[in-house]
Amino acid sequence: MLKAILHAYLRRRRPLRDHNFLVLPHLGLAYGRCPNAASEDIRQALLRLTAGSGGEPFDTDDFCEDETADDWGADAGEDACASYATGTLASWADGLNLLSGRQLVRRHPGALVFSVVRDPLTRLAACFHRMRTEAAPPPGADRAFRPGDDFPGFVARVCAMPDWQSPNAYRSQTAILTHKARLLPSRVLRHETGEADWQALRAELTHACGVDIGPLPGIRDPHRETIAALVAEIEPALRLSVRRRYAADYRNFYEGTTLALPVVAAPA
């Protein structure tokens, strides 16, 4: 009961927090978007598929249908559909159907769901760089970000904050992509091995619905050197805190790979 009340509260405060799946219903394809995974080009590839296949445009009524009317009431629903921190809901989705995990499971149970994930520490560095350089930081950024602060300070505050209090900018990728304890993507592309993972997705999609999604559009990382320099600032003890804070991400996406952070012994 308490968990249901908490989720209802979060949906009211941050209406798009759980709307993380961009869906192409005509292709049976859904993309779980994790902010700061450097996957914007993949969203653009989906937009090209929509434009080339006559996909239906995004309708804000889809958003309001079961997330607002049932849980918030009419007034909250109208507010949620009117605007968001990055613009109107329709413009933010750019013509793709934007659904929550609950809506995705109910409406498109057979969809092929994929996502792009990133090493949590590198993702935090990308998030910090965005917050430091953008005129309007993402919603909730001020919970951990302090203008003029250094990256280790930001990481320490994030590690002290539970997922349920975190904005999607640094919420765990596992939490973003999970509905009722079920990880929704059946195909996960790692930022670090994008080319090989994309080719596997391309083959699967061609077999499933006869559509060639095309070559990897490129997972751009124009600030790679800056992000790498930020990561290098993190001392072993704080790296261990990151590993503990994002243990689910390392377990679900990086366990058994050379990309997982090494287990660092805590200082005596």
Side-chain angles (χ1 to χ4, degrees):
M1 181 64 180
L2 183 60
K3 186 176 181 180
I5 293 173
L6 173 61
H7 281 296
Y9 169 78
L10 290 174
R11 284 197 294 269
R12 185 179 181 90
R13 288 289 305 274
R14 287 171 276 174
L16 289 188
R17 184 174 187 265
D18 291 323
H19 284 69
N20 302 309
F21 295 90
L22 297 170
V23 186
L24 285 74
H26 57 295
L27 296 180
L29 183 67
Y31 167 54
R33 177 180 177 272
C34 294
N36 299 305
S39 54
E40 177 64 17
D41 284 346
I42 290 181
R43 190 172 72 92
Q44 295 301 322
L46 297 182
L47 288 173
R48 289 194 293 273
L49 279 179
T50 299
S53 303
E56 296 180 359
F58 176 79
D59 186 350
T60 54
D61 289 341
D62 281 348
F63 173 75
C64 298
E65 176 185 331
D66 61 19
E67 293 296 326
T68 57
D70 293 346
D71 300 323
W72 305 346
D75 292 341
E78 291 172 1
D79 291 343
C81 292
S83 63
Y84 184 53
T86 52
T88 64
L89 182 60
S91 67
W92 187 85
D94 278 339
L96 295 168
N97 286 321
L98 178 65
L99 303 181
S100 67
R102 183 175 76 166
Q103 291 172 320
L104 176 64
V105 169
R106 289 172 58 186
R107 300 180 190 183
H108 309 286
L112 194 165
V113 185
F114 78 100
S115 185
V116 176
V117 298
R118 192 175 194 176
D119 168 73
L121 180 57
T122 307
R123 181 171 173 249
L124 282 180
C127 176
F128 178 79
H129 178 69
R130 280 187 58 204
M131 292 177 180
R132 186 173 59 179
T133 57
E134 288 186 354
D142 56 344
R143 290 184 181 89
F145 179 73
R146 304 287 185 273
D149 198 5
D150 60 8
F151 182 49
F154 169 74
V155 171
R157 278 189 292 274
V158 170
C159 288
M161 187 180 303
D163 249 1
W164 69 269
Q165 288 185 338
S166 302
N168 283 348
Y170 45 83
R171 186 183 177 199
S172 73
Q173 294 160 108
T174 296
I176 290 172
L177 300 173
T178 296
H179 173 65
K180 290 188 174 180
R182 173 190 163 197
L183 198 61
L184 296 184
S186 60
R187 176 73 62 179
V188 174
L189 289 67
R190 299 184 185 92
H191 174 266
E192 298 82 3
T193 54
E195 180 64 42
D197 294 343
W198 180 265
Q199 291 305 324
L201 170 68
R202 184 179 182 183
E204 184 174 352
L205 184 59
T206 300
H207 176 75
C209 56
V211 173
D212 185 1
I213 199 172
L216 181 68
I219 302 179
R220 291 180 297 178
D221 196 358
H223 309 292
R224 180 181 304 174
E225 293 182 1
T226 300
I227 290 172
L230 288 172
V231 169
E233 296 177 12
I234 305 303
E235 296 296 329
L238 192 51
R239 285 176 181 257
L240 178 60
S241 295
V242 172
R243 186 171 180 82
R244 289 172 173 164
R245 167 68 171 82
Y246 294 99
D249 282 359
Y250 284 111
R251 181 175 62 251
N252 289 323
F253 308 128
Y254 289 97
E255 192 70 25
T257 74
T258 58
L259 299 172
L261 286 177
V263 177
V264 181

